[in-house]
Amino acid sequence: MVSTWLADALQYELWVVSDGSIANDIYFSDIAWPIRKILHWKGLRDEKRDLCSRLNRSTADLGQEIYWRAEAVYDMLSETLTKDEVYLFGNSPKDVDALVLGHALFVLNVLPETSVLRATLQKHARLVKYAEHHLFVLLGVPSGSFSRTLPYVAYDLCVMSGQVHCEHYIDLKVYKLKYHMLVPKVVLVGLDEDGCNPLPGETEDPKSFTIASERCKKCIRTMLKGLVINEALQICFEDFTEDNIVLTETGKVKFKNVTIISCLRRGPEFKRRLHRNFKCAANIIRDLFKLITPTGIQYNIPEDILHLLNVIEREFESRSMFPVHASLVPLTQCSFFFQKMYETIRSVLSFEEFRAILDKLPYVDGWKKKVMNNALLSYPINRRPESYEVPQNKPDQRNLNKYQKGCLNDLGINPPRNQSVLSNEQEEMIKQLRLIDYWRNRTVHRMEPYRSYTKESTEEGEDAPRNAPYKAEGSELVNYVRFPMAPTYLQWELIKRREADGHVVWESFF
């Protein structure tokens, strides 16, 4: 069927349906024009006559019969090709693999987009992925849906083929020296290139803290994404180090001089090698935060990045989430990232799940004190202070007041009629509720104090303009340094709960 039905369909597309340009390029490109025209006419006549005779169909009915047969073969092959199989039959290549691969690659890469046969094949995702996988393994050439992602792993082939130049890429070691990969200490001194205060609203000098720069985040994210793509291609690398990492001018990671391991079935050995690749990436990430001091080597790894390293080591089954870890979200997207998680937690999860998330919420104790020494972060509280208070019990109270009942209702708790005061446990839950509501409200009001904040002139000189204009990212930064693990905690609590699946498209924030 492969050597007859699919061959007939291909010949029909080349000679009968198309404009003849592909057949001319294949068979007659080196022949003078008049002879080429005659030979093409003769080939078209002979092919039509041969197909009609062999299939016992008229020219008008020929296309319908041929495309029906081709789709039947594609259906059969697609069903034969299970998810974890590299080859059509068994664990080793056979003649039929060569026939199918040659046919599929020709159809996908040579026939025009208007081709009916190409559209028919593209409906069979397993066959398309099968062809693309073997094209990459055998030739290192991208095709179809992987063409945009392949540069993460095929850097050497690109260089050898002359498609790119080496000077367009920077070794990771050089890149770390050229650009700041981390910000070990942010102080209230100077403005950024746009004349904005990078750490706005601070009423006192902040303590030292370490954060990953935006370039650092992108480096980590694209390196992990490349390994996830490898799994889709069903390949992995031998162990690699930072010597095997280069970056584009835009900060995307590519691998060089790595040994590609292919033709492994999805199983324990493939999984073990893949995990080793992620561990190699974790070692490179850890070294991004290495500082050499007179007293020795120090690792100033931010708390949320440390969480990412831990899940790479211990929660390998969640590897598809590594490139979209909350610690890697750009500052420009942090507000939308948190709002989407908050909406999912409040509207999708049950009240029991919501309370379970609140029960282990970090930073509950003393959170108000942390935000009140910043003019931007304290704005929502100063605007409506009662919204962030825990309603207190009164000594002579006989029934829960309206405000207390409203708080319990927000938590999905229906108190008994005879309850007179809030229990200690309920007060703690309301305290947790106030914090998560504050995080949500802060994102909504982050730019509201801009006019009142910037209209006051500063007398501290140009080097420390506390009232200089600020960006939305500045508001996100002052919040991050106080609550670095908040987005990470909420993200992984959602990942654990299947009810939230599909409600947050994590990739949309990168």
Side-chain angles (χ1 to χ4, degrees):
M1 294 172 67
V2 174
S3 59
T4 54
W5 288 13
L6 292 186
D8 288 344
L10 194 53
Q11 290 297 98
Y12 180 76
E13 284 270 342
L14 284 177
W15 291 99
V16 182
V17 178
S18 71
D19 58 3
S21 60
I22 298 177
N24 272 330
D25 289 341
I26 294 174
Y27 298 107
F28 314 124
S29 60
D30 58 343
I31 299 176
W33 175 78
I35 300 175
R36 183 169 68 242
K37 193 73 173 176
I38 296 171
L39 290 176
H40 183 270
W41 172 81
K42 184 177 183 299
L44 173 60
R45 185 195 62 180
D46 293 345
E47 195 62 42
K48 277 186 179 180
R49 184 170 57 192
D50 184 52
L51 288 172
C52 291
S53 173
R54 189 162 59 249
L55 301 180
N56 195 24
R57 291 288 189 275
S58 65
T59 304
D61 298 331
L62 198 57
Q64 182 178 358
E65 175 69 14
I66 282 178
Y67 290 132
W68 176 84
R69 290 187 174 201
E71 183 152 19
V73 178
Y74 291 154
D75 288 339
M76 181 270 293
L77 293 173
S78 186
E79 292 176 3
T80 303
L81 194 66
T82 61
K83 182 179 179 181
D84 296 334
E85 293 292 340
V86 176
Y87 302 107
L88 287 169
F89 301 100
N91 300 327
S92 59
K94 295 179 174 57
D95 291 347
V96 67
D97 287 287
L99 292 172
V100 172
L101 184 58
H103 171 87
L105 292 178
F106 188 93
V107 170
L108 292 172
N109 294 283
V110 177
L111 295 186
E113 294 183 358
T114 55
S115 166
V116 176
L117 187 62
R118 179 176 176 177
T120 304
L121 176 57
Q122 286 175 330
K123 291 190 297 184
H124 297 77
R126 288 184 183 177
L127 282 178
V128 174
K129 186 176 180 180
Y130 164 83
E132 291 175 337
H133 168 76
H134 284 291
L135 179 64
F136 173 78
V137 170
L138 296 174
L139 301 177
V141 177
S143 176
S145 60
F146 295 120
S147 60
R148 289 172 294 178
T149 58
L150 187 59
Y152 288 99
V153 294
Y155 167 82
D156 296 318
L157 286 167
C158 291
V159 171
M160 288 189 293
S161 64
Q163 297 176 19
V164 296
H165 300 288
C166 294
E167 58 266 21
H168 293 171
Y169 299 90
I170 307 174
D171 287 335
L172 179 57
K173 290 181 178 179
V174 178
Y175 193 87
K176 287 194 294 184
L177 295 175
K178 185 177 181 180
Y179 301 106
H180 293 295
M181 300 302 288
L182 65 154
V183 184
K185 188 176 183 180
V186 176
V187 293
L188 194 62
V189 176
L191 304 176
D192 63 16
E193 63 273 12
D194 297 321
C196 295
N197 189 348
L199 201 68
E202 299 291 355
T203 57
E204 58 186 54
D205 289 339
K207 297 179 181 179
S208 299
F209 54 86
T210 302
I211 65 171
S213 69
E214 295 303 297
R215 288 183 182 274
C216 182
K217 291 179 184 179
K218 191 170 187 177
C219 173
I220 297 171
R221 183 169 66 248
T222 54
M223 178 166 53
L224 296 175
K225 183 179 179 181
L227 297 180
V228 171
I229 291 168
N230 278 1
E231 182 176 10
L233 289 167
Q234 208 161 328
I235 63 172
C236 53
F237 299 143
E238 291 285 4
D239 291 353
F240 56 87
T241 67
E242 67 175 9
D243 293 330
N244 301 111
I245 302 296
V246 292
L247 294 98
T248 67
E249 294 175 344
T250 60
K252 291 184 178 180
V253 162
K254 296 183 180 181
F255 297 90
K256 71 168 186 176
N257 298 331
V258 287
T259 302
I260 298 175
I261 305 171
S262 59
C263 300
L264 286 175
R265 295 186 62 189
R266 294 182 185 275
E269 178 61 17
F270 178 74
K271 186 175 178 181
R272 183 188 69 81
R273 288 182 178 271
L274 195 63
H275 197 184
R276 282 184 65 89
N277 281 184
F278 278 99
K279 288 181 178 180
C280 290
N283 292 333
I284 294 173
I285 294 170
R286 192 174 290 107
D287 284 345
L288 292 177
F289 301 92
K290 180 171 67 175
L291 294 176
I292 300 176
T293 66
T295 58
I297 296 176
Q298 296 180 358
Y299 289 89
N300 292 341
I301 304 176
E303 192 176 358
D304 53 347
I305 297 290
L306 192 59
H307 179 273
L308 171 60
L309 295 175
N310 288 334
V311 296
I312 290 176
E313 177 68 30
R314 302 172 185 173
E315 300 183 36
F316 182 62
E317 294 302 323
S318 302
R319 56 190 174 277
S320 62
M321 296 300 301
F322 296 166
V324 293
H325 190 272
S327 63
L328 306 178
V329 176
L331 275 178
T332 55
Q333 296 293 321
C334 283
S335 175
F336 309 108
F337 184 73
F338 186 86
Q339 286 185 43
K340 188 61 180 179
M341 290 194 295
Y342 178 88
E343 292 170 1
T344 304
I345 291 171
R346 294 304 304 264
S347 61
V348 176
L349 300 185
S350 65
F351 279 116
E352 290 77 12
E353 295 286 358
F354 177 45
R355 293 194 296 270
I357 291 177
L358 291 181
D359 184 53
K360 296 181 180 179
L361 195 69
Y363 310 113
V364 174
D365 294 333
W367 70 269
K368 278 189 184 179
K369 187 177 179 180
K370 290 183 177 182
V371 303
M372 292 307 293
N373 61 357
N374 183 280
L376 304 185
L377 298 183
S378 61
Y379 177 81
I381 297 178
N382 294 333
R383 186 169 174 266
R384 294 189 62 183
E386 70 280 359
S387 298
Y388 303 98
E389 296 291 339
V390 178
Q392 300 296 312
N393 295 318
K394 297 181 179 179
D396 57 345
Q397 184 172 310
R398 295 184 178 181
N399 298 101
L400 295 175
N401 59 45
K402 183 178 180 180
Y403 190 29
Q404 290 173 327
K405 289 180 180 178
C407 291
L408 294 179
N409 183 64
D410 288 341
L411 290 165
I413 298 175
N414 294 318
R417 291 186 177 182
N418 60 350
Q419 182 175 347
S420 58
V421 295
L422 293 174
S423 66
N424 292 336
E425 182 182 0
Q426 290 171 341
E427 287 182 344
E428 184 63 22
M429 282 191 289
I430 294 173
K431 187 178 177 181
Q432 296 159 349
L433 176 66
R434 292 293 178 255
L435 174 56
I436 196 172
D437 283 345
Y438 165 79
W439 284 337
R440 181 264 177 191
N441 295 338
R442 183 206 65 80
T443 64
V444 175
H445 301 292
R446 62 181 181 170
M447 295 303 293
E448 285 186 13
Y450 182 85
R451 291 183 181 275
S452 60
Y453 175 73
T454 56
K455 72 179 181 180
E456 301 176 6
S457 61
T458 178
E459 298 179 357
E460 300 184 39
E462 295 183 357
D463 291 336
R466 294 181 183 271
N467 295 93
Y470 69 91
K471 301 176 185 176
E473 293 92 314
S475 176
E476 298 301 330
L477 182 58
V478 294
N479 182 71
Y480 169 82
V481 299
R482 288 163 171 81
F483 311 108
M485 281 297 294
T488 298
Y489 170 76
L490 295 178
Q491 181 190 42
W492 284 85
E493 287 298 312
L494 283 175
I495 292 172
K496 294 175 186 176
R497 292 165 169 80
R498 306 304 299 178
E499 304 96 309
D501 286 355
H503 290 276
V504 183
V505 182
W506 305 107
E507 292 81 1
S508 63
F509 300 101
F510 296 90

